[in-house]
Amino acid sequence: MEKTENIITDQDIKDMIDGIADNGILRGKLCGKDISKWDLSKLSIQYFKKLSFSSKTQFSDEQEKKFKPYDILEKAKSVGKETEELHQKGITGKGIEIAVIDTNINRNLEILKDIEIIDEFHKEIPEEEHGITVLDSLRKIVPESKIFYYPYNKESEKKQQEIKEIVKDIIQRGIKIISISTNIQKDKEINELCKKEGITLIDSETFYRDFTYCFRNIDEGTRDRKL
């Protein structure tokens, strides 16, 4: 019997969400990867939806039959009925400024044409897909908002200090919403800065609780709800 390259179970995903294990496969590491030999037999559809994959990710016939990944991707292009209803009412993010702190990204993509990238804190670090995924989702939800993008090195030993400097720059610009895909609520100084300036901080803990797309039930043709 051919040895599988990897094994993913529901418990593995829970550990990633809880910060116990590396969460790369929730952030984009499966995009374009061949995982047809991976053992997903102990992974439920509920937790499969928390993986981050793309149309170029290769699945086995058995995996496709069980999870229907490409159907999920197609359904995932919708922003959801509630958001569409807000757009119809004219609520599109116009007049709102949002700061996104995330990974380094490919600067040549069309989606970035109306987004201001702040490179003052940028280091020469590898590009990742995660930041583009965040921007794409955000642009669909609040298409008329003004977005400022701050790339930072999430692997740096000094990343917490770098984030603090970025937050201070955001405050100076008068931006009142910050999105960052890591848990920084436990940082007392950052929390105090944000509260003092009336900033809405949406970090990974908030995402998992209220916003994260992969927690949506997109199998039904009805309103979104958490799994």
Side-chain angles (χ1 to χ4, degrees):
M1 180 177 178
E2 188 174 358
K3 189 180 185 303
T4 57
E5 181 182 354
N6 211 334
I7 299 174
I8 304 176
T9 68
D10 284 1
Q11 187 58 53
D12 293 328
I13 303 301
K14 292 176 183 177
D15 289 345
M16 293 174 196
I17 292 174
D18 291 338
I20 299 173
D22 179 87
N23 65 355
I25 64 175
L26 306 184
R27 296 175 56 89
K29 287 188 177 180
L30 296 186
C31 294
K33 189 177 182 65
D34 182 354
I35 63 170
S36 60
K37 298 295 191 299
W38 288 30
D39 183 354
L40 309 184
S41 60
K42 294 183 180 179
L43 183 65
S44 67
I45 294 177
Q46 175 184 352
Y47 282 94
F48 174 81
K49 290 179 181 178
K50 294 171 174 48
L51 301 179
S52 178
F53 55 91
S54 69
S55 59
K56 294 183 179 180
T57 303
Q58 299 177 48
F59 298 93
S60 68
D61 291 342
E62 182 180 355
Q63 290 167 350
E64 284 192 37
K65 183 177 180 180
K66 178 180 179 180
F67 300 113
K68 298 181 174 58
Y70 305 120
D71 288 347
I72 290 175
L73 284 177
E74 284 303 308
K75 293 175 181 177
K77 294 177 181 179
S78 167
V79 294
K81 287 191 175 182
E82 288 91 342
T83 303
E84 290 175 353
E85 289 169 0
L86 290 175
H87 289 174
Q88 291 169 6
K89 294 177 181 178
I91 303 174
T92 58
K94 188 174 183 178
I96 295 175
E97 294 184 334
I98 303 171
V100 177
I101 307 172
D102 214 296
T103 57
N104 193 23
I105 51 178
N106 181 346
R107 312 305 171 86
N108 299 316
L109 299 177
E110 179 69 16
I111 190 177
L112 299 176
K113 65 178 183 178
D114 296 322
I115 293 173
E116 184 171 345
I117 300 178
I118 311 299
D119 271 332
E120 179 183 348
F121 303 91
H122 170 64
K123 302 294 188 299
E124 292 301 322
I125 52 178
E127 297 174 356
E128 292 188 24
E129 296 87 355
H130 186 269
I132 292 297
T133 301
V134 171
L135 290 176
D136 182 61
S137 299
L138 190 57
R139 181 55 77 206
K140 288 177 180 177
I141 294 169
V142 281
E144 294 193 280
S145 63
K146 173 64 178 176
I147 300 175
F148 296 81
Y149 190 85
Y150 290 80
Y152 83 110
N153 187 355
K154 64 185 180 64
E155 302 297 337
S156 171
E157 294 180 357
K158 299 180 179 179
K159 71 174 183 178
Q160 207 66 14
Q161 183 58 40
E162 185 175 346
I163 291 173
K164 290 176 184 177
E165 294 303 315
I166 290 175
V167 170
K168 291 177 182 177
D169 186 79
I170 292 170
I171 289 172
Q172 289 181 350
R173 293 173 186 270
I175 302 169
K176 297 300 183 181
I177 301 174
I178 297 177
S179 167
I180 181 170
S181 299
T182 189
N183 184 356
I184 60 172
Q185 290 189 32
K186 60 185 179 181
D187 189 299
K188 185 177 180 181
E189 183 179 348
I190 291 178
N191 263 291
E192 289 180 350
L193 281 173
C194 290
K195 288 179 180 178
K196 181 180 178 181
E197 300 297 328
I199 292 174
T200 297
L201 175 61
I202 305 173
D203 67 351
S204 60
E205 183 174 325
T206 311
F207 277 138
Y208 286 136
R209 186 179 67 240
D210 298 323
F211 293 99
T212 305
Y213 179 80
C214 59
F215 280 72
R216 289 173 51 194
N217 183 347
I218 60 175
D219 288 335
E220 309 297 331
T222 57
R223 307 180 84 79
D224 297 335
R225 59 182 182 275
K226 285 191 174 185
L227 294 170

